[in-house]
Amino acid sequence: MSVVSQIRPPLRKPRTKGRPAHTAAMLVAPFAVFFVAMYLAPLGFAIYRSLFVLKRDGLGLSAPTMVFDPFTNYLKAFSDPVFIESLGRVLLFGVVQVPVMLGLATALALLIDSRSARAKGFFRLTSFLPYAVPGVIAALMWSFLYSGSSSPINALLEPLGVVIPFLSEDMVLWSVANIVTWGWTGYNMIIIYSALQSIPGEILEAAKIDGASAWKIAWNIKIPMVRPALILTTVFSIIGTAQLYNEPKVLQSVSGGSIDSAFTPIMAAQAATAAQNYPYAAATSVILAVLVGILSITFFKITNRGSDS
Amino acid sequence: MSTQAEVLAVATNDANAADGPTKASGSGRNFGKQKMSKALNNRETSLASRLVVTIVLGCFAIYFLVPIWWLFVAASKPMGEQFSAPGFWFNGMHLGNNVAELLTSRDGIFMRWILNSVLYAGIGAIVGTLLASMAGYALAKYSFRGREVVFGVVLAAVLIPKILFTLPLYLMFSEVGLINNPLAVILPSIVSPFGVYLSRVFAAQSVPDEVIEAARIDGVSEVGIFFRIGMRMMTPALVTIFLFNFVEIWNNYLLPAMVINDSSLQPVTVGLVSWFASNGKVPMSLVVIGALVSVIPLLLLFLFLQRFWKAGLTAGAIK
């Protein structure tokens, strides 16, 4: 880790020489105020709401009252098969989609970085283009390409006697995965590519003079040296997977039922909100935040242990 | 937390070494490497390997371009025939008429959505950039108590998925009666922890302490130094942060979908999806044309401002 801490830009001790310290406070304050209001307050409010349950009287005539009951919502979430199933689905999604996407991104970055590549600028730009397309619009586009009756992809495959049921129960999760992969591969590629660019040329030259093949150099030198970028993109991809919402939500209306309203945890929480079940929605949000936190930190711990040894 | 900060910082520095914000063209290779690779390129790569690499890269490019190509082709077909065969080839060029019809149908609500998106993303990104640059500059150039804590909290916020704040925000806004108010979209979007992080890095790099010191001797007030000197020197960074904020707000869906029910206040993402999910009340042809039109502003922005987002993206990158 020592190299890493050297690379990290030091928080310099600027020469303020007893200048009014309130200048710094004045500059930070506007951001701080909105940060507290728009990040900390809602989070605190969600935790607070998740600790209460709505109690209705027998006839349902008077307004329901909030009763402090810190565990009920959490127990309900963990014993809710629909919520658990959505967690499992997203976990499966992440375990498959994240390695595939980052594998593609790494391969693409290595190819564009390689000496055999021509028109590098063109390929960089085309792979990054999907990033400029909003997630829901990308999902709209792909849904048109997927839709059974009019799918132009299946029209192309028809002469071969192949029809891909993109929106069937078994396929739909991977059709969603394809949309996400399409949207984010180029973005991850750019991060990995820029790390590749910063590998000192002398190291690569030395390996070449020693007779290492291009494959060997890529596998034994380039990939280990872009490790921080790979860790970064992995963590962002884990976070992105936990957010899975836009793509399945858009596909839902054309999926013919293979995507239900609790397909992903965020969709489940959103459905609970739409049903006015705020405490339960709050509890699921908190659970999800904690799970993502644990996952990211665990990943960091594991990858760091590797680098220390 | 410190580990996360380091990873982020490493990625940033790697990136800055290659595509730093000060080096606007950002073509990559450092100087020595560039000379070497130019000389060696053609000698050291065989025709076969160049061919294979180009074919593989071509396949990637087709994958990335096909949906956009389809959208363009479909939107150019005669109105109502968007899904006719051949799927990936033209059937006349009717794009102009189709766009005109899109803009006039349903009382021109589509144009309204685009304007809303521009307004939300524009205001949110400008204010967000200003707040982030002030905070980042202060974190880089002043030492004060709790500075490390503030920076740590900002970094932690970068690493928490923003969508997880959406439901809590909705609960809070419905409590204080901000539902169906544009502020419910704009206020959360002016807070950009990633922007603070970026501008701290950029301020440390591009505003020398000597310049600040000289301005002090000349009697410029501390706040004046930031607005008249600091901001000017940080301009490329500010453009980057603005772009990132703009894209993030433009692409946002869940938050505006939850807090804005009034169709005339919705941004284009929410509006289009509501058309799409209207069970045929709105013809799908309009959705196809609308999807194409809604993509164009961001594509243009990206193409024209390439040199800025490249620097910013590689400087840490966030979803």
Side-chain angles (χ1 to χ4, degrees):
Chain A
M1 272 342 269
S2 65
V3 180
V4 168
S5 17
Q6 278 165 21
I7 291 172
R8 182 182 177 189
L11 284 171
R12 227 183 286 162
K13 287 243 151 51
R15 291 162 287 171
T16 39
K17 278 187 198 156
R19 293 275 166 182
H22 69 248
T23 309
M26 267 173 61
L27 290 172
V28 175
F31 173 80
V33 166
F34 283 104
F35 182 81
V36 170
M38 296 296 138
Y39 270 74
L40 301 186
L43 206 61
F45 187 63
I47 294 171
Y48 171 79
R49 280 305 282 272
S50 71
L51 302 176
F52 289 82
V53 283
L54 286 177
K55 280 261 153 63
R56 290 164 216 274
D57 65 5
L59 295 167
L61 293 177
S62 60
T65 48
M66 299 235 298
V67 180
F68 182 71
D69 188 351
F71 301 114
T72 301
N73 290 309
Y74 290 96
L75 285 176
K76 194 177 145 205
F78 279 117
S79 59
D80 180 355
V82 176
F83 182 67
I84 297 295
E85 200 189 328
S86 75
L87 279 179
R89 189 177 291 119
V90 163
L91 194 67
L92 173 67
F93 179 96
V95 167
V96 176
Q97 190 267 337
V98 172
V100 167
M101 174 178 67
L102 294 182
L104 287 176
T106 310
L108 192 55
L110 285 169
L111 283 174
I112 296 181
D113 185 61
S114 79
R115 290 206 168 128
S116 300
R118 295 291 174 273
K120 296 176 184 219
F122 169 77
F123 288 121
R124 268 205 314 255
L125 194 64
T126 48
S127 36
F128 191 67
L129 218 50
Y131 177 73
V133 178
V136 287
I137 306 295
L140 282 179
M141 278 183 338
W142 279 102
S143 81
F144 294 133
L145 295 176
Y146 288 157
S147 288
S149 51
S150 59
S151 165
I153 297 178
N154 278 332
L156 275 187
L157 295 175
E158 211 180 350
L160 305 173
V162 184
V163 176
I164 304 175
F166 290 106
L167 298 174
S168 68
E169 198 103 7
D170 296 332
M171 275 283 288
V172 77
L173 186 62
W174 310 116
S175 298
V176 171
N178 173 56
I179 303 177
V180 177
T181 306
W182 179 80
W184 293 99
T185 299
Y187 171 91
N188 288 304
M189 180 276 287
I190 297 268
I191 298 174
I192 299 165
Y193 177 77
S194 66
L196 281 173
Q197 296 275 294
S198 67
I199 298 176
E202 303 82 61
I203 296 181
L204 301 176
E205 282 313 310
K208 225 175 168 69
I209 290 163
D210 288 347
S213 68
W215 290 107
K216 270 230 152 84
I217 291 177
W219 187 254
N220 291 329
I221 298 177
K222 288 184 174 176
I223 289 184
M225 287 198 78
V226 298
R227 195 185 144 92
L230 291 174
I231 294 175
L232 183 80
T233 48
T234 307
V235 169
F236 282 145
S237 302
I238 292 173
I239 294 172
T241 305
Q243 310 199 42
L244 195 59
Y245 176 83
N246 289 344
E247 293 83 1
K249 183 68 190 174
V250 169
L251 285 188
Q252 190 186 6
S253 64
V254 292
S255 73
S258 60
I259 294 180
D260 59 25
S261 61
F263 193 72
T264 73
I266 298 275
M267 283 175 79
Q270 205 270 340
T273 310
Q276 308 264 318
N277 195 349
Y278 295 159
Y280 183 66
T284 50
S285 295
V286 173
I287 291 173
L288 205 58
V290 171
L291 286 180
V292 175
I294 292 174
L295 213 62
S296 294
I297 291 169
T298 313
F299 181 76
F300 268 123
K301 283 258 148 69
I302 293 171
T303 47
N304 274 331
R305 195 172 339 137
S307 71
D308 287 340
S309 60
Chain B
M1 191 57 247
S2 67
T3 353
Q4 294 172 351
E6 278 156 7
V7 169
L8 218 54
V10 168
T12 313
N13 270 23
D14 284 356
N16 287 342
D19 263 354
T22 43
K23 190 178 144 202
S25 77
S27 77
R29 296 279 173 204
N30 58 48
F31 186 62
K33 216 169 157 189
Q34 196 166 33
K35 259 200 337 206
M36 226 165 359
S37 64
K38 251 199 184 134
L40 295 173
N41 244 353
N42 284 323
R43 226 167 5 103
E44 290 200 356
T45 59
S46 66
L47 183 65
S49 82
R50 286 204 295 272
L51 206 65
V52 170
V53 167
T54 306
I55 288 172
V56 176
L57 284 176
C59 292
F60 271 110
I62 290 172
Y63 172 60
F64 292 125
L65 290 177
V66 149
I68 297 172
W69 171 255
W70 178 85
L71 192 66
F72 179 67
V73 168
S76 308
K77 289 176 179 171
M79 193 53 143
E81 295 175 32
Q82 267 56 42
F83 301 100
S84 61
F88 292 107
W89 198 248
F90 295 96
N91 176 11
M93 177 44 80
H94 303 267
L95 191 58
N97 290 340
N98 291 346
V99 171
E101 182 153 350
L102 170 76
L103 298 185
T104 51
S105 77
R106 325 245 143 197
D107 300 328
I109 186 85
F110 184 83
M111 208 54 218
R112 185 73 202 254
W113 291 338
I114 293 274
L115 284 180
N116 288 340
S117 278
V118 171
L119 219 61
Y120 297 156
I123 295 173
I126 288 173
V127 178
T129 306
L130 184 68
L131 295 189
S133 65
M134 286 161 66
Y137 172 86
L139 285 170
K141 292 294 166 192
Y142 290 90
S143 61
F144 53 91
R145 270 207 309 170
R147 182 169 69 153
E148 293 283 352
V149 176
V150 172
F151 191 57
V153 171
V154 166
L155 271 181
V158 169
L159 290 164
I160 298 178
K162 235 181 173 170
I163 206 165
L164 289 178
F165 293 98
T166 303
L167 290 176
L169 275 171
Y170 171 78
L171 300 182
M172 198 175 83
F173 285 148
S174 46
E175 201 85 347
V176 295
L178 267 180
I179 299 300
N180 260 334
N181 188 327
L183 282 178
V185 177
I186 294 171
L187 287 181
S189 58
I190 63 174
V191 185
S192 168
F194 183 59
V196 174
Y197 168 76
L198 274 186
S199 69
R200 205 219 94 199
V201 173
F202 286 132
Q205 275 175 3
S206 56
V207 188
D209 285 340
E210 290 73 23
V211 174
I212 297 177
E213 208 53 42
R216 275 180 190 142
I217 292 165
D218 288 348
V220 185
S221 73
E222 294 293 316
V223 175
I225 293 174
F226 169 71
F227 282 106
R228 307 219 312 257
I229 300 165
M231 277 189 92
R232 199 162 297 169
M233 300 182 100
M234 288 165 68
T235 302
L238 297 185
V239 177
T240 307
I241 297 169
F242 170 82
L243 257 180
F244 268 86
N245 286 345
F246 192 91
V247 171
E248 198 180 311
I249 304 169
W250 186 281
N251 290 357
N252 201 352
Y253 172 75
L254 183 57
L255 177 69
M258 291 197 77
V259 297
I260 307 266
N261 307 317
D262 183 346
S263 174
S264 66
L265 291 175
Q266 285 169 343
V268 68
T269 47
V270 178
L272 263 184
V273 171
S274 75
W275 272 5
F276 178 74
S278 70
N279 283 325
K281 278 191 217 99
V282 179
M284 265 320 160
S285 293
L286 279 184
V287 181
V288 171
I289 296 152
L292 179 71
V293 175
S294 76
V295 165
I296 290 170
L298 274 195
L299 284 185
L300 290 181
L301 202 66
F302 265 91
L303 286 176
F304 283 125
L305 298 173
Q306 254 199 81
R307 63 200 190 99
F308 291 109
W309 61 253
K310 254 189 210 158
L313 180 82
T314 51
I318 185 85
K319 288 181 188 182

